[in-house]
mmCIF file of all heavy atoms in Angstrom:
data_model
loop_
_atom_site.group_PDB
_atom_site.id
_atom_site.type_symbol
_atom_site.label_atom_id
_atom_site.label_comp_id
_atom_site.label_asym_id
_atom_site.label_seq_id
_atom_site.Cartn_x
_atom_site.Cartn_y
_atom_site.Cartn_z
ATOM 1 N N GLN H 10 2.461 -3.693 -1.514
ATOM 2 C CA GLN H 10 1.742 -3.049 -0.422
ATOM 3 C C GLN H 10 0.680 -3.977 0.157
ATOM 4 O O GLN H 10 0.334 -5.004 -0.419
ATOM 5 C CB GLN H 10 1.068 -1.769 -0.925
ATOM 6 C CG GLN H 10 2.036 -0.679 -1.361
ATOM 7 C CD GLN H 10 1.305 0.562 -1.852
ATOM 8 O OE1 GLN H 10 0.225 0.470 -2.434
ATOM 9 N NE2 GLN H 10 1.884 1.728 -1.616
ATOM 10 N N SER H 11 0.151 -3.544 1.296
ATOM 11 C CA SER H 11 -0.999 -4.211 1.888
ATOM 12 C C SER H 11 -2.262 -3.682 1.219
ATOM 13 O O SER H 11 -2.230 -2.648 0.536
ATOM 14 C CB SER H 11 -1.054 -3.922 3.393
ATOM 15 O OG SER H 11 -2.311 -4.272 3.924
ATOM 16 N N ASP H 12 -3.375 -4.385 1.412
ATOM 17 C CA ASP H 12 -4.638 -3.904 0.867
ATOM 18 C C ASP H 12 -5.097 -2.621 1.574
ATOM 19 O O ASP H 12 -5.916 -1.871 1.049
ATOM 20 C CB ASP H 12 -5.723 -4.983 0.970
ATOM 21 C CG ASP H 12 -5.996 -5.405 2.413
ATOM 22 O OD1 ASP H 12 -5.061 -5.324 3.234
ATOM 23 O OD2 ASP H 12 -7.126 -5.833 2.710
ATOM 24 N N VAL H 13 -4.543 -2.377 2.766
ATOM 25 C CA VAL H 13 -4.838 -1.137 3.486
ATOM 26 C C VAL H 13 -3.565 -0.289 3.522
ATOM 27 O O VAL H 13 -2.592 -0.650 4.171
ATOM 28 C CB VAL H 13 -5.318 -1.425 4.927
ATOM 29 C CG1 VAL H 13 -5.599 -0.121 5.653
ATOM 30 C CG2 VAL H 13 -6.551 -2.314 4.914
ATOM 31 N N HIS H 14 -3.570 0.829 2.806
ATOM 32 C CA HIS H 14 -2.392 1.697 2.771
ATOM 33 C C HIS H 14 -2.816 3.119 2.443
ATOM 34 O O HIS H 14 -3.897 3.357 1.899
ATOM 35 C CB HIS H 14 -1.376 1.198 1.736
ATOM 36 C CG HIS H 14 -1.960 1.075 0.349
ATOM 37 N ND1 HIS H 14 -2.520 -0.088 -0.111
ATOM 38 C CD2 HIS H 14 -2.081 1.978 -0.652
ATOM 39 C CE1 HIS H 14 -2.962 0.088 -1.345
ATOM 40 N NE2 HIS H 14 -2.709 1.339 -1.703
ATOM 41 N N SER H 15 -1.959 4.059 2.799
ATOM 42 C CA SER H 15 -2.252 5.466 2.513
ATOM 43 C C SER H 15 -1.744 5.814 1.122
ATOM 44 O O SER H 15 -1.044 5.019 0.481
ATOM 45 C CB SER H 15 -1.582 6.365 3.555
ATOM 46 O OG SER H 15 -0.181 6.366 3.357
ATOM 47 N N ASP H 16 -2.066 7.025 0.662
ATOM 48 C CA ASP H 16 -1.599 7.470 -0.659
ATOM 49 C C ASP H 16 -0.340 8.325 -0.555
ATOM 50 O O ASP H 16 0.071 8.965 -1.524
ATOM 51 C CB ASP H 16 -2.700 8.233 -1.394
ATOM 52 C CG ASP H 16 -3.174 9.466 -0.636
ATOM 53 O OD1 ASP H 16 -2.709 9.674 0.505
ATOM 54 O OD2 ASP H 16 -4.001 10.220 -1.175
ATOM 55 N N GLU H 17 0.308 8.326 0.634
ATOM 56 C CA GLU H 17 1.520 9.134 0.834
ATOM 57 C C GLU H 17 2.607 8.751 -0.162
ATOM 58 O O GLU H 17 3.223 9.613 -0.805
ATOM 59 C CB GLU H 17 2.050 8.958 2.261
ATOM 60 C CG GLU H 17 3.362 9.707 2.511
ATOM 61 C CD GLU H 17 4.055 9.319 3.811
ATOM 62 O OE1 GLU H 17 3.600 8.366 4.479
ATOM 63 O OE2 GLU H 17 5.071 9.963 4.146
ATOM 64 N N THR H 18 2.851 7.444 -0.294
ATOM 65 C CA THR H 18 3.909 6.971 -1.188
ATOM 66 C C THR H 18 3.630 7.404 -2.618
ATOM 67 O O THR H 18 4.527 7.911 -3.318
ATOM 68 C CB THR H 18 4.000 5.433 -1.131
ATOM 69 O OG1 THR H 18 4.108 5.022 0.226
ATOM 70 C CG2 THR H 18 5.221 4.947 -1.892
ATOM 71 N N HIS H 19 2.405 7.223 -3.063
ATOM 72 C CA HIS H 19 2.039 7.581 -4.432
ATOM 73 C C HIS H 19 2.301 9.060 -4.704
ATOM 74 O O HIS H 19 2.876 9.428 -5.744
ATOM 75 C CB HIS H 19 0.565 7.247 -4.666
ATOM 76 C CG HIS H 19 0.081 7.630 -6.033
ATOM 77 N ND1 HIS H 19 0.358 6.868 -7.160
ATOM 78 C CD2 HIS H 19 -0.647 8.705 -6.472
ATOM 79 C CE1 HIS H 19 -0.178 7.452 -8.220
ATOM 80 N NE2 HIS H 19 -0.787 8.555 -7.832
ATOM 81 N N LYS H 20 1.901 9.916 -3.777
ATOM 82 C CA LYS H 20 2.082 11.360 -3.961
ATOM 83 C C LYS H 20 3.553 11.743 -4.038
ATOM 84 O O LYS H 20 3.956 12.572 -4.863
ATOM 85 C CB LYS H 20 1.406 12.119 -2.820
ATOM 86 C CG LYS H 20 -0.120 12.076 -2.871
ATOM 87 C CD LYS H 20 -0.719 12.822 -1.694
ATOM 88 C CE LYS H 20 -2.240 12.825 -1.756
ATOM 89 N NZ LYS H 20 -2.850 13.510 -0.587
ATOM 90 N N LEU H 21 4.374 11.126 -3.172
ATOM 91 C CA LEU H 21 5.811 11.428 -3.164
ATOM 92 C C LEU H 21 6.481 10.959 -4.456
ATOM 93 O O LEU H 21 7.327 11.659 -5.016
ATOM 94 C CB LEU H 21 6.475 10.761 -1.953
ATOM 95 C CG LEU H 21 6.145 11.365 -0.584
ATOM 96 C CD1 LEU H 21 6.656 10.467 0.535
ATOM 97 C CD2 LEU H 21 6.761 12.762 -0.445
ATOM 98 N N MET H 22 6.102 9.770 -4.920
ATOM 99 C CA MET H 22 6.682 9.232 -6.156
ATOM 100 C C MET H 22 6.275 10.083 -7.352
ATOM 101 O O MET H 22 7.088 10.361 -8.239
ATOM 102 C CB MET H 22 6.231 7.787 -6.356
ATOM 103 C CG MET H 22 6.669 6.813 -5.269
ATOM 104 S SD MET H 22 8.430 6.438 -5.307
ATOM 105 C CE MET H 22 8.486 5.298 -6.670
ATOM 106 N N GLU H 23 5.010 10.491 -7.385
ATOM 107 C CA GLU H 23 4.525 11.324 -8.490
ATOM 108 C C GLU H 23 5.223 12.682 -8.502
ATOM 109 O O GLU H 23 5.547 13.211 -9.564
ATOM 110 C CB GLU H 23 3.006 11.514 -8.360
ATOM 111 C CG GLU H 23 2.187 10.270 -8.697
ATOM 112 C CD GLU H 23 2.250 9.927 -10.166
ATOM 113 O OE1 GLU H 23 2.102 10.834 -11.015
ATOM 114 O OE2 GLU H 23 2.483 8.734 -10.476
ATOM 115 N N ALA H 24 5.462 13.214 -7.309
ATOM 116 C CA ALA H 24 6.118 14.522 -7.222
ATOM 117 C C ALA H 24 7.527 14.473 -7.807
ATOM 118 O O ALA H 24 7.996 15.457 -8.404
ATOM 119 C CB ALA H 24 6.164 14.985 -5.773
ATOM 120 N N LYS H 25 8.194 13.356 -7.651
ATOM 121 C CA LYS H 25 9.558 13.189 -8.185
ATOM 122 C C LYS H 25 9.557 12.604 -9.595
ATOM 123 O O LYS H 25 10.613 12.386 -10.186
ATOM 124 C CB LYS H 25 10.371 12.274 -7.252
ATOM 125 C CG LYS H 25 10.680 12.891 -5.897
ATOM 126 C CD LYS H 25 11.603 14.083 -6.011
ATOM 127 C CE LYS H 25 11.946 14.656 -4.650
ATOM 128 N NZ LYS H 25 12.814 15.855 -4.770
ATOM 129 N N LYS H 26 8.363 12.327 -10.120
ATOM 130 C CA LYS H 26 8.197 11.775 -11.470
ATOM 131 C C LYS H 26 8.979 10.474 -11.648
ATOM 132 O O LYS H 26 9.633 10.262 -12.679
ATOM 133 C CB LYS H 26 8.604 12.814 -12.512
ATOM 134 C CG LYS H 26 7.731 14.069 -12.480
ATOM 135 C CD LYS H 26 8.137 15.073 -13.542
ATOM 136 C CE LYS H 26 7.224 16.305 -13.478
ATOM 137 N NZ LYS H 26 7.582 17.323 -14.516
ATOM 138 N N LEU H 27 8.895 9.617 -10.640
ATOM 139 C CA LEU H 27 9.583 8.331 -10.703
ATOM 140 C C LEU H 27 8.666 7.289 -11.344
ATOM 141 O O LEU H 27 7.469 7.220 -11.051
ATOM 142 C CB LEU H 27 9.988 7.871 -9.299
ATOM 143 C CG LEU H 27 10.982 8.780 -8.570
ATOM 144 C CD1 LEU H 27 11.214 8.289 -7.149
ATOM 145 C CD2 LEU H 27 12.300 8.855 -9.328
ATOM 146 N N VAL H 28 9.242 6.473 -12.217
ATOM 147 C CA VAL H 28 8.472 5.407 -12.860
ATOM 148 C C VAL H 28 8.253 4.301 -11.834
ATOM 149 O O VAL H 28 9.219 3.724 -11.319
ATOM 150 C CB VAL H 28 9.223 4.853 -14.089
ATOM 151 C CG1 VAL H 28 8.433 3.713 -14.723
ATOM 152 C CG2 VAL H 28 9.476 5.964 -15.102
ATOM 153 N N HIS H 29 7.005 4.010 -11.515
ATOM 154 C CA HIS H 29 6.747 3.040 -10.461
ATOM 155 C C HIS H 29 5.390 2.356 -10.640
ATOM 156 O O HIS H 29 4.504 2.874 -11.332
ATOM 157 C CB HIS H 29 6.770 3.716 -9.081
ATOM 158 C CG HIS H 29 5.624 4.632 -8.841
ATOM 159 N ND1 HIS H 29 5.521 5.871 -9.452
ATOM 160 C CD2 HIS H 29 4.518 4.508 -8.073
ATOM 161 C CE1 HIS H 29 4.423 6.467 -9.052
ATOM 162 N NE2 HIS H 29 3.771 5.659 -8.227
ATOM 163 N N THR H 30 5.263 1.196 -10.009
ATOM 164 C CA THR H 30 4.004 0.451 -9.986
ATOM 165 C C THR H 30 3.715 0.058 -8.550
ATOM 166 O O THR H 30 4.560 -0.555 -7.895
ATOM 167 C CB THR H 30 4.087 -0.823 -10.854
ATOM 168 O OG1 THR H 30 4.454 -0.474 -12.182
ATOM 169 C CG2 THR H 30 2.743 -1.549 -10.862
ATOM 170 N N GLU H 31 2.545 0.433 -8.064
ATOM 171 C CA GLU H 31 2.117 0.008 -6.730
ATOM 172 C C GLU H 31 1.187 -1.192 -6.901
ATOM 173 O O GLU H 31 0.299 -1.176 -7.746
ATOM 174 C CB GLU H 31 1.381 1.151 -6.031
ATOM 175 C CG GLU H 31 2.256 2.385 -5.834
ATOM 176 C CD GLU H 31 1.438 3.628 -5.576
ATOM 177 O OE1 GLU H 31 0.611 3.594 -4.649
ATOM 178 O OE2 GLU H 31 1.609 4.611 -6.318
ATOM 179 N N CYS H 32 1.419 -2.231 -6.103
ATOM 180 C CA CYS H 32 0.582 -3.425 -6.224
ATOM 181 C C CYS H 32 0.309 -4.014 -4.844
ATOM 182 O O CYS H 32 1.120 -3.892 -3.929
ATOM 183 C CB CYS H 32 1.240 -4.466 -7.123
ATOM 184 S SG CYS H 32 2.826 -5.072 -6.489
ATOM 185 N N VAL H 33 -0.848 -4.639 -4.696
ATOM 186 C CA VAL H 33 -1.209 -5.302 -3.443
ATOM 187 C C VAL H 33 -0.702 -6.741 -3.494
ATOM 188 O O VAL H 33 -0.987 -7.475 -4.443
ATOM 189 C CB VAL H 33 -2.735 -5.290 -3.230
ATOM 190 C CG1 VAL H 33 -3.115 -6.113 -2.005
ATOM 191 C CG2 VAL H 33 -3.230 -3.860 -3.088
ATOM 192 N N MET H 34 0.084 -7.130 -2.490
ATOM 193 C CA MET H 34 0.595 -8.499 -2.423
ATOM 194 C C MET H 34 0.142 -9.233 -1.164
ATOM 195 O O MET H 34 0.259 -10.446 -1.077
ATOM 196 C CB MET H 34 2.125 -8.507 -2.492
ATOM 197 C CG MET H 34 2.675 -8.259 -3.878
ATOM 198 S SD MET H 34 4.427 -8.681 -3.989
ATOM 199 C CE MET H 34 4.675 -8.551 -5.774
ATOM 200 N N TYR H 35 -0.372 -8.491 -0.166
ATOM 201 C CA TYR H 35 -0.826 -9.131 1.069
ATOM 202 C C TYR H 35 -1.939 -8.301 1.691
ATOM 203 O O TYR H 35 -2.160 -7.153 1.311
ATOM 204 C CB TYR H 35 0.335 -9.301 2.052
ATOM 205 C CG TYR H 35 1.103 -8.032 2.357
ATOM 206 C CD1 TYR H 35 0.894 -7.327 3.530
ATOM 207 C CD2 TYR H 35 2.063 -7.539 1.466
ATOM 208 C CE1 TYR H 35 1.615 -6.173 3.818
ATOM 209 C CE2 TYR H 35 2.779 -6.383 1.747
ATOM 210 C CZ TYR H 35 2.549 -5.710 2.911
ATOM 211 O OH TYR H 35 3.249 -4.555 3.191
ATOM 212 N N ARG H 36 -2.671 -8.888 2.608
ATOM 213 C CA ARG H 36 -3.807 -8.201 3.210
ATOM 214 C C ARG H 36 -3.890 -8.509 4.694
ATOM 215 O O ARG H 36 -3.397 -9.545 5.163
ATOM 216 C CB ARG H 36 -5.107 -8.600 2.510
ATOM 217 C CG ARG H 36 -5.382 -10.079 2.535
ATOM 218 C CD ARG H 36 -6.718 -10.430 1.897
ATOM 219 N NE ARG H 36 -6.730 -11.827 1.512
ATOM 220 C CZ ARG H 36 -6.848 -12.271 0.264
ATOM 221 N NH1 ARG H 36 -6.986 -11.411 -0.734
ATOM 222 N NH2 ARG H 36 -6.832 -13.551 -0.001
ATOM 223 N N THR H 37 -4.553 -7.619 5.407
ATOM 224 C CA THR H 37 -4.779 -7.776 6.837
ATOM 225 C C THR H 37 -6.178 -8.335 7.064
ATOM 226 O O THR H 37 -7.153 -7.802 6.533
ATOM 227 C CB THR H 37 -4.642 -6.425 7.558
ATOM 228 O OG1 THR H 37 -3.335 -5.888 7.320
ATOM 229 C CG2 THR H 37 -4.846 -6.585 9.049
ATOM 230 N N VAL H 38 -6.271 -9.426 7.819
ATOM 231 C CA VAL H 38 -7.571 -10.044 8.091
ATOM 232 C C VAL H 38 -7.732 -10.242 9.599
ATOM 233 O O VAL H 38 -6.760 -10.257 10.359
ATOM 234 C CB VAL H 38 -7.715 -11.407 7.368
ATOM 235 C CG1 VAL H 38 -7.665 -11.223 5.862
ATOM 236 C CG2 VAL H 38 -6.639 -12.386 7.818
ATOM 237 N N SER H 39 -8.969 -10.417 10.017
ATOM 238 C CA SER H 39 -9.271 -10.635 11.428
ATOM 239 C C SER H 39 -8.763 -11.999 11.885
ATOM 240 O O SER H 39 -8.838 -12.979 11.155
ATOM 241 C CB SER H 39 -10.781 -10.541 11.645
ATOM 242 O OG SER H 39 -11.119 -10.811 12.985
ATOM 243 N N ASN H 40 -8.213 -12.042 13.091
ATOM 244 C CA ASN H 40 -7.739 -13.295 13.684
ATOM 245 C C ASN H 40 -8.645 -13.621 14.867
ATOM 246 O O ASN H 40 -8.588 -12.955 15.901
ATOM 247 C CB ASN H 40 -6.288 -13.140 14.142
ATOM 248 C CG ASN H 40 -5.694 -14.450 14.619
ATOM 249 O OD1 ASN H 40 -6.064 -15.521 14.160
ATOM 250 N ND2 ASN H 40 -4.760 -14.370 15.549
ATOM 251 N N GLU H 41 -9.510 -14.616 14.709
ATOM 252 C CA GLU H 41 -10.535 -14.895 15.710
ATOM 253 C C GLU H 41 -9.954 -15.357 17.038
ATOM 254 O O GLU H 41 -8.956 -16.082 17.074
ATOM 255 C CB GLU H 41 -11.512 -15.948 15.175
ATOM 256 C CG GLU H 41 -12.348 -15.453 13.997
ATOM 257 C CD GLU H 41 -13.391 -16.465 13.577
ATOM 258 O OE1 GLU H 41 -13.511 -17.517 14.247
ATOM 259 O OE2 GLU H 41 -14.084 -16.206 12.579
ATOM 260 N N PHE H 42 -10.598 -14.923 18.111
ATOM 261 C CA PHE H 42 -10.224 -15.393 19.444
ATOM 262 C C PHE H 42 -10.698 -16.840 19.571
ATOM 263 O O PHE H 42 -11.800 -17.173 19.139
ATOM 264 C CB PHE H 42 -10.877 -14.526 20.519
ATOM 265 C CG PHE H 42 -10.316 -14.751 21.899
ATOM 266 C CD1 PHE H 42 -9.092 -14.225 22.257
ATOM 267 C CD2 PHE H 42 -11.019 -15.515 22.827
ATOM 268 C CE1 PHE H 42 -8.566 -14.434 23.522
ATOM 269 C CE2 PHE H 42 -10.504 -15.735 24.092
ATOM 270 C CZ PHE H 42 -9.266 -15.199 24.437
ATOM 271 N N PRO H 43 -9.862 -17.730 20.146
ATOM 272 C CA PRO H 43 -10.210 -19.161 20.208
ATOM 273 C C PRO H 43 -11.589 -19.407 20.836
ATOM 274 O O PRO H 43 -11.876 -18.920 21.932
ATOM 275 C CB PRO H 43 -9.097 -19.750 21.086
ATOM 276 C CG PRO H 43 -7.952 -18.815 20.903
ATOM 277 C CD PRO H 43 -8.548 -17.457 20.755
#
């Protein structure tokens, strides 16, 4: 996942009792105007 994400996925996975791991692999950063 991104560092910015909702908890929708977590709730759906928990509801189905699926074994899972959520992890942050990338992030959104500001891109400066030249």
Side-chain angles (χ1 to χ4, degrees):
Q10 294 180 327
S11 166
D12 60 331
V13 179
H14 56 268
S15 71
D16 59 355
E17 176 192 7
T18 308
H19 178 78
K20 289 179 178 178
L21 289 170
M22 298 288 283
E23 287 291 314
K25 292 294 182 182
K26 297 181 179 180
L27 297 175
V28 178
H29 69 287
T30 304
E31 299 161 54
C32 62
V33 174
M34 284 194 171
Y35 54 101
R36 58 177 160 243
T37 302
V38 297
S39 177
N40 187 30
E41 293 185 4
F42 192 76

